[in-house]
Amino acid sequence: MTGPTVAAPRETPPANPLAEFLLRLGDDRLVLGHRLSEWCGHAPILEEDIALANIALDLVGQASAFLAAAGEAEGQGRTDDTLAYFRDEREFRNALLVERPNGDFAVTILRQFLFDAWSVLLLDALKTCGYAPLAAIAAKALKEATYHLRHSSEWVLRLGDGTDESHARAQRALDDLWRFTGELFQTDAVDEAVAGMGIRVDYAALRSRWNDMVSDVVKRATLALPADQPAATGGRRGRHSEYLGHMLAEMQSVARAHPGATW
Amino acid sequence: MEQKPQATPEDPAKLAQFQARIDAGESIEPKDWMPERYRKQLVRMMSQHAHSEIVGMLPEGNWITRAPSLRRKMSLLAKVQDEAGHGLYIYCGTETLGVDRAELVDQLLDGRAKYSSIFNYPTLSWADIGVIGWLVDGAAIVNQTVLAKASYGPYARAMIRICKEENFHKRQGFEIVATLAAGTPAQQAMVQDAVNRWWWPSLMMFGPSDTDSPNSAELLRWKVKHKTNDELRQRFVNLTVPQAIAVNLTLPDPDLTYNAETKNWEFGEIDWAEFHEVIRGNGPCNRERLAARRAAHENGRWVREAAEAHAAKQRRRSTEAA
Ligand SMILES: [Fe+2]
Ligand SMILES: [Fe+2]
């Protein structure tokens, strides 16, 4: 006796792990760069308007490079712009951390710091990987990320070890964001598959170095490291928070209103 | 009746010497003697200029999050970042005249200081970003190329540096305009609409007509300015009309005609009533612009306090360690 097939796999593995891996790198930077660009003209001091715009610019530039490489790896003619502007939220592969709303300056800085520390370590590992196009982008991006990390670390110190108010805000931001950091180190079939192509990252070692870097700055900033808690995940599979859809609706509005147009 | 305290009259000999230096084309530097009135006029002009760069981030920032390609997003981010840099640089220049930035920012936020009225108009489509680069940065360049010869050294030098970047902004803006003008019918309509809205406010950027410009004579005598508002406005129109023709856009002025004798593009009457209303605070976005700057300032107060407190702690630690 045969009926309709209702049983299906729990997850469909991505068809092209290399493209998927590059999308993750690109989307992290596109979404975070976009978030930072929302500060433009509204930062606490003029120097930060300049710095945040500058970091946003770097991140969008990196995103463009990673997405272009993803499009090439995919081989279906999609460019960095097609990937940025014509995918829906379920197709975005960024970690949940980077789509968190800007909040106050403390949330923005702590989000940036947690990301930068991870990004520097990851890019450093990728710059010697066996896939040349990726290694080249990583090497260039690493220089920028190193500067970003210096900037965000300095601000974590100022906010944590500044006034009572700034200390409280920085601690709250760290506590709120902590559960989104676990996802940065999670591996899945995509990581396994690209390891076979020479893109090997030791995430356990990366996590332990990240922990050292983060706890050092957090301690010097007189802040307390939050207790471990269940990680919020899903971004890598396109299961995002409700925030991302709104961000994309804004970001993609002009491009989608004029499909096929040249800008 | 009590007498109002009067500014001490300037020493006529010093004044004559100062004018002689100006007439000889010398550059006035921060430590040089200068009439109080000269200092005041420069503080007014330079701080207005710096405020304009800062407030100008808002209308363009309005489209960073919607820029239709990654390349355009990056170039707009870079442009707005440049404008912030210009603001910072000119605030520093103004500090050489003995007023600090915090005081100037207060003047902007409480409405005492002015900024270019162009930024009180809204940006309503992506095409506005192109048109602002083309017309607004274009008008700024015409003004600033002349200010680069201003008698006050720090201002002149700031203008030389800034003008290079404004030229880049203008080129980028015109490139956006040309792309849209050669694009789909919807893009063409979008860019024409933007030109229609920004053309007249751009002409107003040169300030009141010479017949109605209270500061002009003095500023020309001191060579802070080298050309009158109307001369600069005409130069801008002459430069811009052929560019509009080149990309098949029209300009919303039925009186615009070429005078072969004077080689000028003659234009219609500016709506001076609108100009004065916007300056008085009644433009479409005056309140929103100031509210946004005030909110940034208020919301950022705890951050600035934290940075100061941290720096003080660091200083204390390093003296204790010494
Ligand atoms: Fe500027
Ligand atoms: Fe500019």
Side-chain angles (χ1 to χ4, degrees), chain A residues 30 33-34 37-38 40-47 49-51 53-54 56-57 60-61 63-64 67 80-81 84-85 104-106 154-155 157-163 165-166 169 247 250-255 258 260-263, chain B residues 54 57-58 61-75 77-78 80-81 84-85 87-88 91 101 126 175-176 179-180 183-184 186-187 190 292-293 296-297 299-307 309-310 313-314 317:
Chain A
L30 177 59
H34 184 100
S37 78
E38 293 171 355
C40 204
H42 308 280
I45 36 170
L46 197 44
E47 284 82 349
D49 269 311
I50 297 174
N54 196 31
L57 186 56
V60 176
S64 160
L67 292 179
D80 53 344
D81 279 337
Y85 289 96
D104 63 11
F105 189 68
E154 279 168 6
W155 270 108
L157 293 177
R158 285 189 198 109
L159 298 183
D161 190 20
T163 62
E165 180 180 6
S166 70
R169 284 179 187 258
M247 194 191 106
E250 182 177 352
M251 186 178 97
Q252 299 174 334
S253 59
V254 179
H258 305 267
T262 305
W263 300 100
Chain B
I54 301 311
M57 295 170 75
L58 297 169
N62 184 36
W63 284 89
I64 290 177
T65 52
R66 288 175 287 176
S69 76
L70 295 180
R71 184 169 75 96
R72 293 297 183 203
K73 197 185 191 72
M74 286 189 271
S75 62
L77 262 168
V80 177
Q81 186 195 356
L88 194 57
Y91 279 134
R101 183 169 131 198
W126 169 251
E175 197 211 314
I176 294 177
T179 307
L180 295 173
T184 65
Q187 286 176 307
M190 187 196 288
R293 289 312 307 161
H297 192 74
N299 297 337
R301 187 181 302 282
W302 70 269
V303 178
R304 296 189 299 274
E305 286 170 358
H310 181 76
K313 284 182 192 177
Q314 292 293 86
R317 279 169 201 150

Side-chain angles (χ1 to χ4, degrees), chain B residues 49 53 82-84 86-87 137 140 144 162 166 169:
Chain B
H49 190 160
E53 302 279 1
D82 283 347
E83 308 300 6
H86 297 169
D137 287 78
Q144 291 170 17
I162 287 171
E166 303 295 13
H169 299 164

Side-chain angles (χ1 to χ4, degrees), chain B residues 21-296:
Chain B
R21 289 190 62 195
I22 297 271
D23 294 342
E26 281 181 45
S27 144
I28 307 299
E29 294 302 323
K31 291 212 169 78
D32 296 348
W33 183 88
M34 62 187 83
E36 211 30 55
R37 177 84 191 148
Y38 178 87
R39 182 187 303 274
K40 270 211 176 110
Q41 286 282 26
L42 272 157
V43 169
R44 181 184 64 82
M45 281 179 71
M46 291 174 75
S47 62
Q48 273 186 23
H49 190 160
H51 298 328
S52 303
E53 302 279 1
I54 301 311
V55 177
M57 295 170 75
L58 297 169
E60 293 189 275
N62 184 36
W63 284 89
I64 290 177
T65 52
R66 288 175 287 176
S69 76
L70 295 180
R71 184 169 75 96
R72 293 297 183 203
K73 197 185 191 72
M74 286 189 271
S75 62
L76 182 55
L77 262 168
K79 178 183 197 272
V80 177
Q81 186 195 356
D82 283 347
E83 308 300 6
H86 297 169
L88 194 57
Y89 196 54
I90 305 170
Y91 279 134
C92 291
T94 318
E95 288 186 327
T96 63
L97 291 160
V99 219
D100 65 53
R101 183 169 131 198
E103 161 64 17
L104 297 172
V105 170
D106 283 344
Q107 289 175 6
L108 170 68
L109 297 182
D110 66 22
R112 271 178 294 157
K114 301 235 178 311
Y115 56 86
S116 180
S117 56
I118 192 85
F119 300 120
N120 290 315
Y121 291 86
T123 48
L124 301 178
S125 80
W126 169 251
D128 290 35
I129 297 309
V131 171
I132 287 178
W134 175 35
L135 298 182
V136 176
D137 287 78
I141 291 166
V142 169
N143 259 327
Q144 291 170 17
T145 312
V146 183
L147 284 170
K149 295 180 218 132
S151 55
Y152 188 57
Y155 196 26
R157 289 190 290 273
M159 287 306 103
I160 291 169
R161 189 170 133 175
I162 287 171
C163 249
K164 283 190 194 135
E165 291 182 347
E166 303 295 13
N167 268 302
F168 188 66
H169 299 164
K170 187 199 160 178
R171 267 211 309 280
Q172 259 177 0
F174 188 69
E175 197 211 314
I176 294 177
V177 167
T179 307
L180 295 173
T184 65
Q187 286 176 307
Q188 288 173 10
M190 187 196 288
V191 71
Q192 183 63 61
D193 171 65
V195 170
N196 294 349
R197 283 182 285 109
W198 289 96
W199 173 250
W200 288 107
S202 302
L203 297 194
M204 294 177 195
M205 281 176 71
F206 296 91
S209 164
D210 296 347
T211 53
D212 184 30
S213 181
N215 296 309
S216 256
E218 191 175 54
L219 294 173
L220 286 164
R221 178 158 48 84
W222 279 332
K223 294 191 180 170
V224 175
K225 282 181 152 189
H226 285 83
K227 300 270 178 203
T228 69
N229 294 351
D230 286 334
E231 286 171 324
L232 292 171
R233 189 166 11 242
Q234 185 64 59
R235 179 183 290 185
F236 172 71
V237 172
N238 291 350
L239 281 170
T240 310
V241 173
Q243 294 165 351
I245 293 170
V247 291
N248 280 319
L249 288 166
T250 60
L251 297 169
D253 179 359
D255 296 325
L256 197 62
T257 39
Y258 187 67
N259 182 329
E261 225 165 275
T262 60
K263 295 193 164 63
N264 282 331
W265 279 95
E266 290 170 355
F267 51 93
E269 184 66 14
I270 288 173
D271 183 348
W272 293 114
E274 175 180 324
F275 172 79
H276 290 295
E277 276 309 316
V278 179
I279 286 189
R280 265 197 292 271
N282 300 320
C285 298
N286 297 59
R287 285 175 181 79
E288 286 89 337
R289 300 294 185 237
L290 270 191
R293 289 312 307 161
R294 284 186 191 129

